Amino acid sequence: MRLHRLDITAFGPFGGTQTVDFDELSAAGLFLLHGPTGAGKTSVLDAVCYALYGSAPGARQSGQGTALRSDHAAPSTRTEIRLELTVAGRRLEITRQPPLERPKKRGTGTTLDKAQSWLREYDGAAAAWKDLSRSHQEIGEEITQLLGMSREQFCQVVLLPQGDFARFLRADAEARGKLLGRLFDTHRFAEVEKRLAERRRAAEAQVREGDAALLADAHRMQQAAGDAMELPELAPGEPGLAEAVLSAAAVARSTAREQLTIAHCGLGAAESAQAAAERALADVREVDRLQRRFAQARERAALLEERADGYHQAQARMERARKAEAVAPALDLREAAEAEDRRAAEAETRARGLLPVPLVDAGAAGLAAAARRAAEELGGLDSARRAEQRLAELAGERAELDSEERSDEDVLQEAEIWLAGWEEARAGLQQAVESAQEAATRAEQLAVQREPARKRLAAARQRDQFARDTDDAQQQVIDATDRAQKARADWLDVKERRLNGIAAELAAQLTAGEPCAVCGATEHPAPARKDAGHVDRETEERALAGSQHADEQRAEAERRLAFVQRALAAAQGEAGDTSTEELAVQADDLEREYAEVRTLASALHTATERLRQAEREREQRLTAQREAAVRTATRGARRDALDRERTTLEAELAEARGAADSVAARAAQLERQTALLTDAADTARVAEDTAQRLKDADARLADAAFRAGFDTPRAAAAALLDDAAHRDLQHRLDAWQAEEAAVRAVLAEADTAEAARQPAADVLAAERAAADAGRRVREAASARDAAARRCAELDRLSARSATGLRRLAPLRQEYDRVARLSALAAGTSADNERKMRLESYVLAARLEQVAAAATVRLQRMSSGRYTLVHSDDRTGRGRSGLGLHVVDAWTGRERDTATLSGGETFFASLALALGLADVVTDEAGGVRLDTLFIDEGFGSLDDQTLDEVLDVLDSLRERDRSVGIVSHVADLRRRVHAQLEVVKGRSGSVLRQRGGV
C-alpha cells in the first residue's frame, strides 16, 4: 500500500482545505510530520484512517459524525476527506463525507445530512477515473479485502503508536494476549475452546439424560411387575446402574410369563362352559319366537275378517274410476276449448274499445278494409318525410355558411394587421442575428488571446517564485561557502598540528637496534614523545573528510543557485517586466470579456431560428388571406341556391301535413290508427274460431260419456280420481291382499304350528345362565390380558432400555474424548504441563515470531546489546503466559522488559512495532506496506541513539518503504529534510510541505 495524495477539508483542527503530497514526501524515504502540541499532527493520521475505514483510530473512533468536524469551518463547508493510494496494483481514490448537522434552508432549527462515500479507480488505458461504488458497506469490504487487515490491525501496523508498544513491553500476559488477539485474529481459537466446552457440557447432559431415562424405565417396569421386581438404590451417572436394572428386569419378565400361562388355561375352561350356555339360550329363544309368531298370525287373521266390507267397497270405487278414464280426454279437450274461447272474447272486447265509435260494431272484414286504407295513406307520406328532413339540413347548411363567413372575415382582418408590422419586426430580428454574429467573431478573436495571457501570467508567477528562491539560494551559497572555508581552515590547522608532532609519531615506530627511517642511526637515546594535544592520522583524515564534505555542500548550493537563476531568466524572458498583478488584471479582463461575448454569441442560433420562423409565418398568413378571399367570392352563389330549394320544400310540406303540426305528427297518427284496426280485425277472427271449436268439444264429450256407461258427462267427471287418490286407493287394496297372503303363509308353517303345541319357553332362566358363563369368561380374559400386558410392557421397556444403553455407549465415549480435549485446550488438564490455553499457545507462537523480527532491528538500534526473546514462564493463576524478556549482551543475563530505561524502552518498542508490522503483513497475505507512520517517542533518545534509530528507519527503503515520523522534537527538523509542518492559528491549522530532494 502506497499513499499518493490526501485532501482534508473542515476536519479536526483544519478549517479550510489542506493537501498532502505523499509522493513528494516519500521520495526521500524518510519524512517528518511536526508542529506544536495541539496543532493537529495526529489528525492527519486520523484522516488517513477515516478515509480507509470510515472511522477514526483508537479512542477517537467515537467521533464519527459532527465530532470530527472542524470548529473553524464555515457553516456552508462540508467536511470531506479524499485519499488517493495504490494497493494491490490498483490506483484508487476514496472520498468520505461524515454526517453534517446544518441549519435548515427554510425555517428554524437544524437538519442532518447523511454521510456519503465514493470509491473510484484510475483506468490507465482510458487515462480517466471510473466510479466503482457509493455504498459505505461495499467500500469498507473492498478496502478491508485489498489491505488484508482490519482497522485495528491497520492502526497498530501502519500508524505505529509508540505509547501502545511501550505499554505492551511492560504489560502482563493477559494484556499482551488482548492486543495480539486483535492483530492476529485468534478469536477462532478461543471459539474452539468455547465450542469444546459447549460440546463437553452437551455430551455430559446427554449422558445424564440417558441414565435418567434408563432409571425412569426401571421405575415403569417395577410398576408393571408389581412385587416381582426390586430396583437398585443407584443415581444417574453412578457405575453399575445399567447392569442392575437389566438383571432385575430379567427376573420380572420370567415371573410374568409364568402368570400368563396359568391365565391362558383358566380362560379355555371358561370359554367351553360359555359356549354350552349360549347354545341352550339360542334353542329357548327360537321356541319362544315361533310361539309368539303363531299367536300374532291368529290375531291378524281376525282383524282381516272384520275389515272385509271396506275392501269390497274400495274394489267397486276403483272399477268406476277405470271406466271414467275413457271419458277424461274429451273432458280435457272441452275445458281447453272453453278457456281459449273466453280469452279470445276478452281480447276482442279490449281491441274494439280502442277504435273510433263508428267502427266499434264493424265485422272482421270491415276492420281489415279500414286498416288497408290507413296503411296506403301512410305510405304516401314517405316523400314528405324526406322533404321535411332536407328542409332541416338546409337550415344547418345556411348557418354553417354564416359561420364560415365570420371566420374568413376574422382571418382577413388578423392577416392584414400582422402583415402591416412585418417590415419593422423583420428588421429587429435581422439586427439580433447580426449582433450575435459579431459577438461570435469577437469570441474567436479573444479565444486566441486567452492562452498566451494565461501562459504569461503563469510565467510571471514562476518569475516571482524563482526570484525569492534565488535570494534563498544565494544565502545558502554564502552560508555553505562560510562553512567550507571554516572546515578547510580547521583541516589545515589539524594538519599543521600533526606535522608539528610528526617526530613523536615517528619515534613511536623506533625499535632498539633497528636503523632510524630518517637518520639511519641504530641508537635512539632521546626519542620524541607525544604531548597532550597530539594529532594522529585518523584525526587529520576526519578533518579532511569534513572539509571535502563542506566543499561538496558548497558546490551543491552553487549548482542549485545556477539552476534557479537559469529558471528565473527563462521566466523573465517569457513574462517580461510587467508585474504579476497587472498581468492578472489583464487576464481577468480578457476572461470576463470572453465570457460576455460567448454569452452573446450563444444567442445566434436562437435569433436565426426566430427569423426563419417569422418568415414562415408571413408566408402562411399570405396564403390564408388568399384562400379566405376565394371562399368569400364563391359563398354568395351557394346561399342563393339554398334559399330557392327551401321555398319549394316549404310549399310541398304545407300540403302534406294537412291539419297536423308536421309530417311526422301526421305519420304518427296514421301509424297508430293502422295498428289499432289491424289488431281489432285479428282478435275478431280469433274469437269466431274459438267459439266454433267450443261447440265441437261439447258434442264429442256427450258421445264419450254415453259409450262409457254414464248418463251425463257430469257423472263421468265425478267418477274420475286424481293421481294421489288413485295411488292411495290402490295402495290400500294391495296392502289388504298382502296381509291376507302373509297370514295364510304363517299359519301353514309346520315348525311354527309344532312350537305352538309345546309348553311356553322360559327365556329369562336361559339368559341368566348364559350371563353367568359370560362373566366367568370375561374375568378369565381380563386376567389373561393383564398378564399379557404385563409381559408386553416389560418386554417393551427392557428392549427400550437396551436400545438406550446401545445409543448411550458412543455418547459416553464421545463425552470422555471431548472432556479430555476441552480440559487440554482450557489448560486445566494434567496432560497440559504448562497450563496454557489454546489461544495463548497460538499467540505465544506469534509473539515468538514478532520477537525474532524485532530483534533484527533492536540489535542495530542498541549497537548489538539487546535481544528480545519470548518466555513460556508461568505468570498469574498458575498458567503459562505470554512472557517477553530482553537479553543484555553486556551482562549476558535475561531480564524483564519492564527494567528498560525510557530511551531503551522507546527503541525497543519501536523495534517491536516494526517487527509486528512485518509479521502482521505476512499474516495478511503479504500485502506490501510502502508507507508507515511512527507517532512520537523520539524525545527520550540521545544523539547517538537517535542516529542509530534513524539509520534503522532509513534502511526500510531497502524494502521500498517510506516512513513518516510524527514528532515535535526540534533536532529531527535538522536531521530529516522532507517535512510536513502543521501550523496552528486562531482560524485553524494549516499544512506546509517541504520536499526532501
Side-chain angles (χ1 to χ4, degrees):
M1 179 200 73
R2 178 176 294 278
L3 305 181
H4 298 293
R5 179 185 177 92
L6 175 66
D7 295 325
I8 308 173
T9 302
F11 181 85
F14 305 106
T17 299
Q18 304 297 321
T19 300
V20 181
D21 187 350
F22 285 109
D23 287 336
E24 181 180 355
L25 289 174
S26 302
L30 193 65
F31 62 91
L32 175 66
L33 174 58
H34 69 92
T37 301
K41 301 185 295 297
T42 306
S43 295
V44 176
L45 309 185
D46 292 348
V48 173
C49 183
Y50 190 85
L52 291 173
Y53 295 95
S55 61
R60 298 182 295 278
Q61 61 181 303
S62 59
Q64 295 305 306
T66 56
L68 297 177
R69 178 171 174 78
S70 175
D71 296 333
H72 302 285
S76 59
T77 302
R78 182 72 186 264
T79 301
E80 180 179 279
I81 298 95
R82 179 182 291 109
L83 177 64
E84 185 178 339
L85 73 160
T86 296
V87 57
R90 299 169 60 185
R91 186 151 184 156
L92 304 175
E93 181 189 79
I94 310 170
T95 303
R96 293 192 187 269
Q97 293 181 349
L100 173 64
E101 186 175 0
R102 59 170 177 80
K104 292 182 178 179
K105 296 181 179 179
R106 297 181 180 178
T108 60
T110 60
T111 184
L112 183 65
D113 290 339
K114 295 181 179 180
Q116 299 187 42
S117 299
W118 294 269
L119 178 62
R120 302 196 304 169
E121 182 176 4
Y122 185 75
D123 187 352
W129 292 92
K130 63 178 181 180
D131 294 332
L132 295 183
S133 176
R134 295 194 62 176
S135 169
H136 301 296
Q137 182 177 2
E138 291 180 358
I139 295 175
E141 292 176 354
E142 181 72 13
I143 295 301
T144 302
Q145 183 177 3
L146 290 176
L147 291 177
M149 60 183 72
S150 63
R151 180 180 61 82
E152 290 77 7
Q153 290 176 315
F154 178 84
C155 295
Q156 203 74 36
V157 174
V158 179
L159 312 179
L160 303 179
Q162 293 307 300
D164 288 354
F165 282 97
R167 286 190 295 272
F168 182 80
L169 279 175
R170 297 185 174 94
D172 55 12
E174 183 177 358
R176 289 196 184 108
K178 291 181 179 179
L179 175 61
L180 294 174
R182 290 198 307 270
L183 294 179
F184 292 106
D185 192 20
T186 58
H187 69 277
R188 60 186 183 276
F189 298 102
E191 288 296 325
V192 170
E193 298 176 21
K194 181 179 177 182
R195 179 59 178 163
L196 285 173
E198 291 175 353
R199 288 187 60 185
R200 178 187 59 77
R201 289 192 292 271
E204 182 179 6
Q206 288 178 339
V207 170
R208 289 185 176 273
E209 182 181 354
D211 285 347
L214 178 62
L215 195 57
D217 286 341
H219 284 289
R220 295 189 186 95
M221 285 189 284
Q222 186 183 38
Q223 293 175 359
D227 298 334
M229 180 176 178
E230 294 182 0
L231 286 181
E233 296 181 358
L234 295 176
E238 293 186 14
L241 175 64
E243 292 76 6
V245 169
L246 292 180
S247 176
V251 174
R253 287 200 308 275
S254 176
T255 304
R257 289 192 181 92
E258 293 176 358
Q259 294 174 354
L260 178 61
T261 302
I262 296 172
H264 268 298
C265 295
L267 178 60
E271 287 177 345
S272 300
Q274 182 190 27
E278 287 181 349
R279 287 195 297 272
L281 175 61
D283 294 341
V284 172
R285 284 177 175 173
E286 180 64 18
V287 172
D288 179 68
R289 183 183 68 80
L290 293 175
Q291 290 175 349
R292 287 186 286 105
R293 179 179 175 81
F294 185 81
Q296 290 173 357
R298 293 294 297 271
E299 292 175 358
R300 291 161 62 190
L303 185 60
L304 288 175
E305 186 66 25
E306 292 175 359
R307 297 176 180 176
D309 292 341
Y311 171 71
H312 295 308
Q313 291 175 2
Q315 280 184 326
R317 180 73 178 90
M318 181 63 74
E319 184 64 25
R320 284 179 59 81
R322 289 194 184 98
K323 292 179 179 181
E325 289 177 357
V327 187
L331 285 170
D332 295 339
L333 182 61
R334 200 273 176 190
E335 289 177 0
E338 184 179 8
E340 186 177 1
D341 180 65
R342 185 168 56 254
R343 289 193 298 271
E346 291 174 356
E348 181 183 10
T349 301
R350 286 195 300 272
R352 287 181 180 276
L354 299 175
L355 296 177
V357 176
L359 298 175
V360 171
D361 297 329
L367 292 174
R372 285 194 298 273
R373 290 193 298 271
E376 291 174 357
E377 184 178 358
L378 178 61
L381 291 179
D382 289 342
S383 61
R385 287 179 177 177
R386 290 191 296 272
E388 189 175 39
Q389 183 179 3
R390 176 57 184 162
L391 184 61
E393 293 175 355
L394 290 176
E397 292 179 5
R398 181 60 185 271
E400 185 178 356
L401 287 176
D402 295 340
S403 176
E404 291 177 354
E405 183 175 8
R406 289 192 299 272
S407 178
D408 287 341
E409 289 176 356
D410 294 341
V411 170
L412 291 172
Q413 183 178 4
E414 184 180 356
E416 183 177 358
I417 294 173
W418 192 90
L419 291 173
W422 160 246
E423 292 299 332
E424 183 179 356
R426 181 177 179 279
L429 294 173
Q430 187 65 38
Q431 178 62 32
V433 172
E434 293 174 356
S435 299
Q437 289 176 342
E438 292 176 357
T441 302
R442 179 58 179 164
E444 293 177 356
Q445 297 172 353
L446 293 176
V448 176
Q449 301 174 9
R450 288 172 64 219
E451 187 62 25
R454 285 200 297 265
K455 290 183 178 180
R456 190 177 181 190
L457 176 60
R461 289 171 176 167
Q462 290 181 346
R463 176 196 63 194
D464 297 344
Q465 180 62 41
F466 285 139
R468 292 189 294 270
D469 292 346
T470 299
D471 295 339
D472 295 342
Q474 288 176 346
Q475 183 62 41
Q476 291 177 2
V477 169
I478 293 173
D479 295 342
T481 301
D482 292 342
R483 289 193 297 272
Q485 292 175 352
K486 182 177 182 300
R488 181 171 180 80
D490 292 343
W491 169 62
L492 293 175
D493 180 61
V494 169
K495 184 176 182 180
E496 183 178 359
R497 289 164 57 195
R498 179 169 181 267
L499 291 175
N500 293 334
I502 194 68
E505 189 172 335
L506 293 175
Q509 300 176 2
L510 294 178
T511 303
E514 295 293 333
C516 176
V518 178
C519 64
T522 57
E523 296 182 0
H524 319 293
R529 299 185 179 277
K530 296 179 180 180
D531 56 14
H534 179 75
V535 177
D536 56 10
R537 178 184 295 275
E538 184 178 357
T539 302
E540 180 187 1
E541 289 177 352
R542 282 201 302 271
L544 176 59
S547 175
Q548 292 174 346
H549 179 65
D551 285 338
E552 291 175 357
Q553 290 183 335
R554 176 187 54 77
E556 178 63 25
E558 290 175 350
R559 286 194 296 272
R560 179 174 176 76
L561 175 62
F563 170 77
V564 174
Q565 288 174 343
R566 288 194 299 271
L568 175 62
Q572 286 176 340
E574 185 174 355
D577 297 331
T578 307
S579 66
T580 304
E581 291 76 10
E582 293 178 359
L583 291 176
V585 171
Q586 293 175 4
D588 291 342
D589 293 342
L590 185 61
E591 290 292 337
R592 184 170 56 256
E593 183 180 0
Y594 177 71
E596 292 174 355
V597 297
R598 277 288 301 275
T599 303
L600 295 175
S602 64
L604 176 60
H605 176 74
T606 303
T608 305
E609 186 62 26
R610 290 177 60 188
L611 178 59
R612 284 199 294 268
Q613 290 178 355
E615 291 174 347
R616 286 196 297 269
E617 186 175 0
R618 175 175 176 274
E619 294 298 328
Q620 293 173 358
R621 291 186 180 274
L622 289 175
T623 302
Q625 189 180 38
R626 288 193 297 271
E627 292 176 352
V630 172
R631 288 194 298 271
T632 301
T634 59
R635 195 176 293 112
R638 176 64 178 164
R639 185 184 296 107
D640 294 341
L642 293 176
D643 290 343
R644 287 193 299 272
E645 186 177 1
R646 183 181 62 184
T647 302
T648 302
L649 292 175
E650 287 177 349
E652 181 180 349
L653 290 174
E655 181 179 359
R657 282 196 303 268
D661 294 337
S662 64
V663 174
R666 176 59 179 163
Q669 291 176 358
L670 292 174
E671 288 177 353
R672 187 166 55 256
Q673 183 178 357
T674 302
L676 292 174
L677 290 172
T678 303
D679 186 42
D682 293 340
T683 56
R685 284 194 299 271
V686 171
E688 292 174 356
D689 294 340
T690 56
Q692 183 61 40
R693 285 196 293 274
L694 180 58
K695 291 178 182 180
D696 296 341
D698 286 337
R700 285 195 295 270
L701 177 60
D703 183 62
F706 178 75
R707 284 198 300 269
F710 295 98
D711 296 336
T712 64
R714 186 180 298 277
L720 282 173
L721 292 173
D722 57 15
D723 292 341
H726 188 278
R727 286 195 301 271
D728 182 62
L729 182 60
Q730 186 65 47
H731 177 69
R732 284 187 288 143
L733 291 173
D734 294 342
W736 198 93
Q737 292 173 359
E739 179 67 11
E740 183 183 23
V743 169
R744 284 198 300 266
V746 172
L747 293 176
E749 292 176 353
D751 53 350
T752 302
E754 178 64 25
R757 290 191 291 270
Q758 295 179 7
D762 190 358
V763 178
L764 293 177
E767 287 179 347
R768 284 195 297 270
D772 291 340
R775 178 178 52 77
R776 288 191 295 272
V777 169
R778 286 193 299 274
E779 290 174 354
S782 177
R784 191 274 316 271
D785 292 342
R789 285 195 301 273
R790 186 180 301 111
C791 290
E793 183 69 8
L794 289 173
D795 291 342
R796 182 182 68 82
L797 293 174
S798 297
R800 188 167 73 174
S801 298
T803 303
L805 288 175
R806 288 193 297 271
R807 180 184 60 83
L808 190 60
L811 291 178
R812 192 181 300 278
Q813 294 176 359
E814 181 183 2
Y815 165 69
D816 295 339
R817 183 173 59 256
V818 172
R820 288 195 302 272
L821 286 176
S822 177
L824 185 64
T828 59
S829 173
D831 296 334
N832 192 334
E833 297 179 357
R834 295 186 177 275
K835 304 301 181 182
M836 183 180 292
R837 294 172 51 236
L838 176 61
E839 184 180 14
S840 299
Y841 178 78
V842 176
L843 292 177
R846 295 300 189 196
L847 182 59
E848 190 172 2
Q849 295 176 353
V850 171
T855 296
V856 176
R857 296 184 175 90
L858 179 59
Q859 287 182 339
R860 184 172 177 181
M861 292 181 188
S862 62
S863 300
R865 178 179 179 182
Y866 293 118
T867 300
L868 282 175
V869 294
H870 166 252
S871 173
D872 284 335
D873 292 342
R874 295 185 180 183
T875 58
R877 299 182 182 178
R879 296 192 183 185
S880 298
L882 299 173
L884 192 64
H885 292 173
V886 61
V887 178
D888 191 342
W890 290 3
T891 63
R893 302 186 64 181
E894 180 178 328
R895 54 193 175 97
D896 192 87
T897 54
T899 62
L900 295 174
S901 65
E904 292 171 341
T905 298
F906 168 73
F907 60 71
S909 62
L910 176 60
L912 185 65
L914 294 175
L916 185 62
D918 292 339
V919 175
V920 172
T921 300
D922 296 337
E923 177 73 10
V927 177
R928 288 182 56 84
L929 298 179
D930 299 323
T931 306
L932 300 176
F933 294 92
I934 301 175
D935 193 357
E936 287 299 343
F938 291 87
S940 60
L941 304 179
D942 55 42
D943 291 343
Q944 181 179 355
T945 305
L946 181 60
D947 287 338
E948 293 172 348
V949 170
L950 291 179
D951 288 343
V952 171
L953 295 179
D954 190 59
S955 67
L956 294 177
R957 288 188 296 177
E958 298 173 0
R959 299 181 64 177
D960 196 20
R961 283 182 176 177
S962 61
V963 179
I965 300 174
V966 184
S967 178
H968 59 274
V969 176
D971 193 36
L972 286 174
R973 292 198 292 272
R974 179 179 56 83
R975 297 171 182 263
V976 181
H977 301 290
Q979 298 178 9
L980 179 64
E981 181 181 5
V982 185
V983 181
K984 181 168 60 175
R986 290 183 176 272
S987 59
S989 299
V990 296
L991 297 176
R992 294 178 182 174
Q993 182 172 333
R994 187 179 72 182
V997 294

